[in-house]
Amino acid sequence: MKDWLRFSVAFWHTFRGTGVDPFGAPTKFWPWEDGTNSIAMAKRRMRANFEFINKLGVDRWCFHDRDIAPEGKTLQETNSNLDEVVKLAKTLQGNNIRPLWGTAQLFMHPRYMHGAATSSELVVYVYAAAQVKKAMEVTHYLGGENYVFWGGREGYQTLLNTDMEFELDHMAKFLEAAAAYKRKIGFTGTLLIEPKPQEPTKHQYDWDAATTTNFLRKYGLIGDFKLNIECNHATLLVTGCHHDVETARINGLLGNIDANSGDAQTGWDTDQFLTDTREATMIMLSVIKNGGLAPGGLNFDAKLRRESTDVEDLFIAHIVGMDTLARGLRYAAKLIEDGSLAKLIHKRYSSFHNELGALIEAGKADFEMLEKKAMEWGEPTVASAKQELAEMIFNSVL
Amino acid sequence: MKDWLRFSVAFWHTFRGTGVDPFGAPTKFWPWEDGTNSIAMAKRRMRANFEFINKLGVDRWCFHDRDIAPEGKTLQETNSNLDEVVKLAKTLQGNNIRPLWGTAQLFMHPRYMHGAATSSELVVYVYAAAQVKKAMEVTHYLGGENYVFWGGREGYQTLLNTDMEFELDHMAKFLEAAAAYKRKIGFTGTLLIEPKPQEPTKHQYDWDAATTTNFLRKYGLIGDFKLNIECNHATLLVTGCHHDVETARINGLLGNIDANSGDAQTGWDTDQFLTDTREATMIMLSVIKNGGLAPGGLNFDAKLRRESTDVEDLFIAHIVGMDTLARGLRYAAKLIEDGSLAKLIHKRYSSFHNELGALIEAGKADFEMLEKKAMEWGEPTVASAKQELAEMIFNSVL
Amino acid sequence: MKDWLRFSVAFWHTFRGTGVDPFGAPTKFWPWEDGTNSIAMAKRRMRANFEFINKLGVDRWCFHDRDIAPEGKTLQETNSNLDEVVKLAKTLQGNNIRPLWGTAQLFMHPRYMHGAATSSELVVYVYAAAQVKKAMEVTHYLGGENYVFWGGREGYQTLLNTDMEFELDHMAKFLEAAAAYKRKIGFTGTLLIEPKPQEPTKHQYDWDAATTTNFLRKYGLIGDFKLNIECNHATLLVTGCHHDVETARINGLLGNIDANSGDAQTGWDTDQFLTDTREATMIMLSVIKNGGLAPGGLNFDAKLRRESTDVEDLFIAHIVGMDTLARGLRYAAKLIEDGSLAKLIHKRYSSFHNELGALIEAGKADFEMLEKKAMEWGEPTVASAKQELAEMIFNSVL
Amino acid sequence: MKDWLRFSVAFWHTFRGTGVDPFGAPTKFWPWEDGTNSIAMAKRRMRANFEFINKLGVDRWCFHDRDIAPEGKTLQETNSNLDEVVKLAKTLQGNNIRPLWGTAQLFMHPRYMHGAATSSELVVYVYAAAQVKKAMEVTHYLGGENYVFWGGREGYQTLLNTDMEFELDHMAKFLEAAAAYKRKIGFTGTLLIEPKPQEPTKHQYDWDAATTTNFLRKYGLIGDFKLNIECNHATLLVTGCHHDVETARINGLLGNIDANSGDAQTGWDTDQFLTDTREATMIMLSVIKNGGLAPGGLNFDAKLRRESTDVEDLFIAHIVGMDTLARGLRYAAKLIEDGSLAKLIHKRYSSFHNELGALIEAGKADFEMLEKKAMEWGEPTVASAKQELAEMIFNSVL
């Protein structure tokens, strides 16, 4: 079961989440925090992280560069701060723990307010490149299995002041340079792009799996990048998490899942822990079809609700998250073993399992040939799609 | 102005719209209708169509095969019905009127309930091919400038009973065969795909401009197809019509616009006439940037509200639609002549207008070079995005 | 268990649902249908209804007047048609089966396109009154336990042509007259209003539980009416079914539940069978708190998906719906027996279980008294809300 | 025009808005800020506020208690800080400027994370009462014309841990005590409740105008309270701003408008300046029907976009907001003078302008009387609703 459930703790939510929201100040006052943003504090926090990971019995974690170490006055100083904390993390990791992935935080600082790779300011593009370069090095040093790009500010607020084509061209050049640098330093982890449809901008360029895949295809970046599908982001779409996971899968790009949950009806990002066993089952069905996610995994990119303020809540939340996905895996496996659902689907499409079906799929059935058949066969009869039966079968394993 | 505003009347809404909705029976009882679905009625209706087009002073129209002529007992009989009505239409068109585009209706009949090109039934794929073949021939015969594919049933209701990859593969083969047949018959019009995010299915495969473009790229269909962006469909997305028009444009695929309007907040397709001059102005800005839409145009794929039941309402609605787009064009032209908005955008991106900017855009600025610059330059300063100023400039031309 | 699960079959979906949608023609061709809308057909259909109910082992059904019998050329003839079919239904009901509720269909016919009680046409208000009068009589005759008002066309498409206050005043007068007539004929069933936020109009006046309660309070109709909460309608709201059920309950107005399901993300009404055991559990929690629903119940106001066309699908769908609600009831009961969740909530509010809490709740704690306390007590400390723990407890019973 | 456009500057957005969002740090660094939260800084900021108001030529402002003065270590110290700044504000107001309204900020501080009046903690209820008491006194002292309650944290995140009835009962007691205190201190301004459907909680109790009105009616608070409709909040509903303004108006509760704008399609609160002249025209139509808003007004509860960082942007944004509403007023007045739209509506409902219409509206038309009429009159005929014509008339004045 461990191979299918490659869980990871997200440093930012679990150790840097403060409970801030657009209308409220911090609510979390963890006992290990001293109120400063010093390197000493960064180290104490990193120790807390590994104590937590060890107690939880998980062997992967994820981080942004700026979560784990404070910015200095210059980029040089910032990099040196990062090195110091990363060194400690390397020691604390020991032999069993490593990053599922690392990433650069290119959205919090005001310098990135117009984007990073898509900023209207050259100097910001340049700065972002330097930051990603360092974050990739650090991820490599820690033995990270993947490296993620979430374009937090790559998007627009209004087309009235935006040159969308210019910005997308820049984003492509940036990612191209990142892939080149990956090869240069011998980092063999997967590069992942994490789609999100909206928020913080009105339109995020990496909208969803299909939109991002279109971007990768347009700019010749397929091959260098896969996708990290975040359930909570896909919930902001109309079609939801299972759809986006499947879209990534059939495009050969399913690299990792951020296994969290949003609210199906409110329009903002709540990054809750996934507790819905039904959704977990559907996701795990796709994971099984994908032959697993490795070297990707299931990252708990989830935060305690603002009103959950006990240290034990951190444990409770991760445990319910792990339990939900484990149940999802068991239910999905049961569904596959049972075979009824697969049989239902196989039967639905069985009319294509013949010579003409093969010709069509080989691109050898032209319209004239097909018209002749249509004239010959007359009015089609079509079978029931049996959705309610499929739902009954699905429910039967829960 | 006429070259920019290539208006078209949509036969289906204007002459076959009955006012039916999911909770209500027909409300329109036009004086020329006799309550039958005969060929004689189809011809009387076609005459009404051209009387309307002539009175309105428009010179284009759009149609589905099944709207203009009744189905017969066999496909042979159906085709012959279609031929008879099309012949009359050819005469009535005269020298000045022609189809902006034609299309096949592959969604109303129960045979298409699981899709046409993506149906789980081979016999339906075959039937659909025959139907599209004929519709392309007929469009060609009438001098149509484009041919449209709206995948009304190409999508799914639940992934529980669906093989999405199988269905998308079939859709690609179908469109490939359509493009081959187009070349074979010497039809030189553009083939257009019309995206729609949802409805009637939970997920329509041609979701939006980016999703559809991804599909075209994946299956090597770019070059053979462009997009028909329907505003009302894009409203069902979060980003809206202007975004989808621009996405099509910068992918080189903006072929036609279905100039209607949806409700920004309800989640279903209302196909209203576009009366919002602000939205019309933004759309026409994109049309101007695109150098116009020809051989595409602006199709009034819009229907009277169910409660509008006077014959004069048909005129009023088209006139307000034309007037809105004409005002949009004038405002957009004024905005361009004024130049303030273009200047604001140009200034925003001006930091890239130098040697390093050129290197970046040429893909020659690697991460090591950029890191050196970042270290040298220090903390970036970034300018205001001036959104409110852009909105003030926009408002000033209305 | 039977007393808590007062299931009802909805005649309209199960026996009049054709599979029509805004883009598609009928797909259901049941063997007992002969394609006519005759009285003979209405009777055969009614027999099929009772055969189905008996096979399913349910003892309640719901109907619209116009579903069970065809309209005649005049209201007199229509009423006489209705009487004939109702007489048969009375016989077929026997001793064990009766209507959970009856209602008048005031939305399909074009005469109702501007509303029934809120129509801009006096003659329609008058006609609707006559129709409701008869439907109430018929429901009474059949031993119906409730009578429902769903204001299918009571709403507006645009405020530009609407006098909302005028229309709401009329709706109140109409309902007042209905309540008076109920008393007059000695019908002792509950009158229920069924809220729905949107569709078919942009704004339906009976938007949700709170909006409808406001209407009832404004016009002095509380006491005469309760609410029928339809899950699928509440899904169209942002807060969802459980919220609306609870809102009705705490206003003392929870009378009946239409136990169906919508899609959480698409914006239109799908009226699916409820198959989500989590949602069912939450609903049943409220039902238990309400002490059950009697004389109301759980009506399967749900239809087969358009693509489900086998007769057995009718059974499968109802069985999965019943099974889901039965599991929901069992899980809810387990949750209540377990007591952990109730304890968590009790503890959350326990600071009010004292003298000052009592004063506040009695309206005897004025701002000056409270300010003194605040000055004395200093900065409040607040406990964790334990949402993840609550979710873990909830999951533990599933 | 000034009497209809009682504009107000919102201190919090304009002087305390930092550009923070859930993914980003502050972006605004105004020259008058020194980075501290001292009283000296509070005073300098207050001077900037009045310099801005005077330059803008507006004579009203709105404030939260905690925006204008820093919290101290105790409530006593906090109150004394507030007094000091308020005294300065009183002087700076001079004879011409006064608060449109004041309010207490009961949502930012972590003590309010579970609500203020609806908190699960008694000590928080008590603290909130003391804070509102002081805020009302201060508003009174400054000559404020209204006092507003926005229940920023009055709502729930999940019903699993919430006793909704308990919380609503408490909210009612709290508001009752506030109204009593208002009378006690002789404050004659209007008490206003500001609805918002969601955010920061999943469900805000003051959801919209109808929901809030239901609450006021249930607890006997009508008479003491009116509503402050915020457009941006109403945009988060499906029906939008104009609907909620009209709902407040016909319930006799339209007290004030927060004249801002949200994004019609994203699901979070953007508090943008209103720049859509169409929406402004519809709002001003309601304002005119209401006979104006006094003693309420039009508060610019709007913030610069995060990316707008120039001091001049503050002016530009307010100017485009004022200009938009002024154009809206002019267009609405033109629409009313023109009379065509009013005539269209009058004609729609004219069938009720007779004896039977009067009987119905007097509640004297019972179902038996109406049935007789229906039998006598036969099938109703109904007129077109002329929505497209109404839209054409609307467009004609823009």
Side-chain angles (χ1 to χ4, degrees), chain B residues 242-309:
Chain B
H242 190 205
H243 171 78
D244 236 35
V245 167
E246 278 291 286
T247 298
R249 189 182 67 77
I250 67 176
N251 279 283
L253 298 174
L254 180 57
N256 193 80
I257 292 176
D258 270 10
N260 57 6
S261 180
D263 187 289
Q265 298 175 304
T266 60
W268 70 90
D269 179 342
T270 60
D271 270 351
Q272 295 174 240
F273 280 85
L274 180 65
T275 62
D276 184 338
T277 42
R278 300 174 71 82
E279 182 147 21
T281 304
M282 287 189 282
I283 294 165
M284 294 313 293
L285 268 175
S286 290
V287 169
I288 294 175
K289 279 187 195 169
N290 202 55
L293 293 167
L298 297 159
N299 176 39
F300 289 117
D301 185 9
K303 64 183 174 197
L304 289 186
R305 306 315 317 269
R306 182 172 187 261
E307 303 80 12
S308 297
T309 53

Side-chain angles (χ1 to χ4, degrees), chain C residues 62-80:
Chain C
C62 290
F63 66 94
H64 293 102
D65 49 1
R66 294 301 170 259
D67 295 313
I68 59 174
E71 290 217 17
K73 277 185 208 130
T74 62
L75 185 52
Q76 287 85 336
E77 194 184 317
T78 301
N79 284 353
S80 132

Side-chain angles (χ1 to χ4, degrees), chain C residues 147-220:
Chain C
Y147 183 87
V148 163
F149 294 84
W150 175 51
R153 299 276 166 197
E154 319 293 18
Y156 65 78
Q157 297 292 9
T158 173
L159 283 171
L160 284 180
N161 68 5
T162 303
D163 185 334
M164 179 159 56
E165 188 171 18
F166 180 97
E167 297 198 356
L168 285 164
D169 287 352
H170 283 208
M171 191 157 86
K173 290 304 169 194
F174 190 94
L175 292 174
E176 205 179 289
Y181 191 66
K182 171 196 141 154
R183 284 186 290 269
K184 176 146 197 192
I185 62 173
F187 175 56
T188 56
T190 311
L191 300 182
L192 297 163
I193 298 183
E194 179 179 318
K196 183 177 187 185
Q198 53 177 330
E199 211 195 13
T201 67
K202 159 80 175 171
H203 178 78
Q204 300 278 123
Y205 291 135
D206 298 328
W207 185 263
D208 65 3
T211 302
T212 306
T213 306
N214 179 48
F215 169 82
L216 293 175
R217 290 189 201 281
K218 179 173 181 186
Y219 292 102

Side-chain angles (χ1 to χ4, degrees), chain A residues 293-310:
Chain A
L293 293 167
L298 297 159
N299 176 39
F300 289 117
D301 186 10
K303 65 183 173 196
L304 290 185
R305 308 312 321 266
R306 183 173 185 259
E307 303 79 12
S308 297
T309 53
D310 294 341

Side-chain angles (χ1 to χ4, degrees), chain A residues 10 81 126 173 184 219 293 295 308 318 391:
Chain A
N81 290 350
V126 166
K173 290 303 169 193
K184 174 147 199 193
Y219 292 102
L293 293 167
S308 297
H318 280 83
E391 289 166 338

